[in-house]
């Protein structure tokens, strides 16, 4: 990720909240395999765990998710795990040696027309289109749970599907009485669990970017805010709000210099 100082977001707490609010991540792996593509990506909803004992020192956290065994990316992960188990003469879940990447996009992004730059455009015409967006990238080592006969895998998957369902039903849907995994027949859930693998990523680096017109002067930022508000859309209002907030942060930083 290209991180110009103006757009870089260094607050781990902010990035963790971005992930919690936008949990659908894009998992990217680079695994050498005779049977599957080297580079693969999948959209996966994640649960972010931050150990309580590390909450005060901005620990990046642990991402938990699951994916279908029929997914080619899951097959490549299982193949790599099997090779590592054979090499180490070990059973159960192991942490694979190579780093993986999970990308999370912020809630709003949009094309920015030069027409919104109401200060610079009429004065010099030196403006070009761009795109406003935000996102977080989590890098770390992945642990794979895929042995359907293993108690460790069964326990992990049960916790994972329960926590993910609870998170989605309450945080995303806002239900006071959420649907729970226990509402489904036990044998049905067990059958489905045999067809998924669990993944756990210990985050080693968490980077983020909020590109929301901070590089522009106040007059142009005001034009961007008005332009997006005039669109009358949820995305427009969201971008306008973030541009305004990031502009205020920029002005406060300048005042302290």
């Amino acid at each position: 990720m290209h991180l110009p100082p103006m757009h870089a977001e260094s607050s781990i707490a902010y990035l963790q909240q971005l992930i919690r609010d936008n949990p659908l991540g894009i998992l990217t792996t680079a695994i050498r395999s005779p049977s599957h593509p080297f580079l693969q990506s999948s959209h996966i909803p994640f649960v972010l765990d931050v150990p309580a004992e590390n909450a005060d020192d901005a620990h990046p956290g642990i991402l938990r998710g699951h994916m279908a065994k029929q997914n080619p990316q899951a097959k490549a992960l299982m193949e790599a795990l099997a090779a590592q188990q054979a090499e180490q003469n070990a059973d159960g879940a192991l942490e694979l040696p190579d780093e993986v990447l999970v990308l999370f996009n912020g809630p709003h992004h949009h094309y920015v027309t030069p027409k919104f730059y109401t200060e610079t455009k009429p004065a010099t015409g030196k403006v070009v289109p761009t795109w406003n967006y935000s996102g977080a990238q989590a890098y770390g080592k992945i642990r794979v749970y895929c042995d359907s006969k293993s108690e460790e895998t069964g326990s992990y998957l049960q916790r994972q599907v329960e926590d993910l369902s609870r998170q989605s039903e309450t945080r995303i849907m806002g239900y006071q009485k959420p649907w729970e995994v226990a509402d489904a027949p036990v044998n049905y859930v067990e059958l489905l669990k045999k067809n998924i693998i669990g993944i756990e990523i210990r985050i080693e680096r968490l980077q983020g970017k909020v590109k929301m017109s901070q590089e522009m002067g106040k007059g142009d930022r005001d034009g961007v805010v008005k332009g997006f508000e005039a669109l009358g859309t949820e995305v427009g209002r969201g971008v306008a709000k973030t541009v305004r907030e990031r502009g205020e942060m920029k002005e406060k930083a300048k005042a302290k210099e």
Side-chain angles (χ1 to χ4, degrees):
M1 180 184 286
H2 179 44
L3 292 172
M6 182 68 72
H7 299 139
E9 177 53 68
S10 60
S11 169
I12 296 298
Y14 178 92
L15 297 175
Q16 289 171 333
Q17 193 59 46
L18 185 150
I19 292 172
R20 293 189 186 99
D21 293 340
N22 307 274
L24 184 65
I26 302 174
L27 169 66
T28 299
T29 57
I31 300 173
R32 297 199 179 280
S33 165
S35 312
H36 307 287
F38 176 59
L39 287 173
Q40 297 196 69
S41 294
S42 298
H43 287 79
I44 299 173
F46 283 95
V47 173
L48 173 65
D49 290 334
V50 179
E53 63 271 20
N54 299 115
D56 294 332
D57 64 0
H59 186 285
I62 297 169
L63 292 169
R64 289 190 285 117
H66 65 273
M67 57 200 305
K69 284 185 176 179
Q70 291 304 310
N71 185 323
Q73 189 174 21
K75 292 181 179 181
L77 286 167
M78 289 188 288
E79 183 181 85
L81 175 63
Q84 184 176 350
Q85 288 175 329
E87 181 179 320
Q88 299 183 13
N89 192 26
D91 294 321
L94 291 173
E95 188 175 87
L96 299 181
D98 293 324
E99 192 175 61
V100 302
L101 162 67
V102 186
L103 168 65
F104 295 91
N105 287 311
H108 304 113
H109 64 87
H110 205 286
Y111 169 78
V112 184
T113 172
K115 292 183 178 182
F116 286 173
Y117 300 135
T118 53
E119 182 175 71
T120 304
K121 181 178 178 294
T124 68
K126 295 181 179 180
V127 290
V128 292
T130 190
W131 203 284
N132 276 358
Y133 62 92
S134 61
Q137 288 186 338
Y139 299 84
K141 300 295 179 61
I142 190 169
R143 193 174 181 87
V144 183
Y145 298 82
C146 59
D147 183 359
S148 300
K149 298 178 182 179
S150 164
E151 182 177 338
E152 179 186 31
T153 295
S155 176
Y156 179 88
L157 289 175
Q158 187 67 31
R159 177 192 176 204
Q160 166 59 22
V161 296
E162 288 179 354
D163 288 353
L164 181 61
S165 296
R166 187 178 306 111
Q167 170 181 283
S168 302
E169 290 281 314
T170 56
R171 179 181 291 275
I172 296 176
M173 300 304 298
Y175 291 149
Q176 295 298 315
K177 295 182 178 180
W179 178 89
E180 298 180 354
V181 173
D183 294 339
V186 174
N187 58 346
Y188 175 70
V189 174
E190 290 300 317
L191 178 63
L192 293 180
K193 282 165 55 180
K194 291 179 180 180
N195 291 289
I196 61 176
I197 68 168
I199 56 174
E200 182 179 78
I201 301 166
R202 175 170 49 86
I203 302 175
E204 297 177 343
R205 290 181 290 136
L206 184 57
Q207 300 176 339
K209 183 174 185 177
V210 181
K211 180 184 176 299
M212 288 286 172
S213 302
Q214 302 99 306
E215 70 279 7
M216 307 305 293
K218 187 177 185 307
D220 285 330
R221 291 199 310 272
D222 289 344
V224 171
V225 169
K226 292 178 181 178
F228 276 112
E229 288 179 338
L231 294 180
T233 63
E234 180 182 353
V235 171
R237 288 188 290 271
V239 173
K241 178 176 180 292
T242 310
V243 170
R244 185 183 296 110
E245 291 172 348
R246 289 286 154 163
E248 291 171 353
M249 290 171 61
K250 177 182 177 180
E251 296 304 318
K252 287 181 181 177
K254 285 173 58 177
K256 292 180 180 180
E257 294 177 353

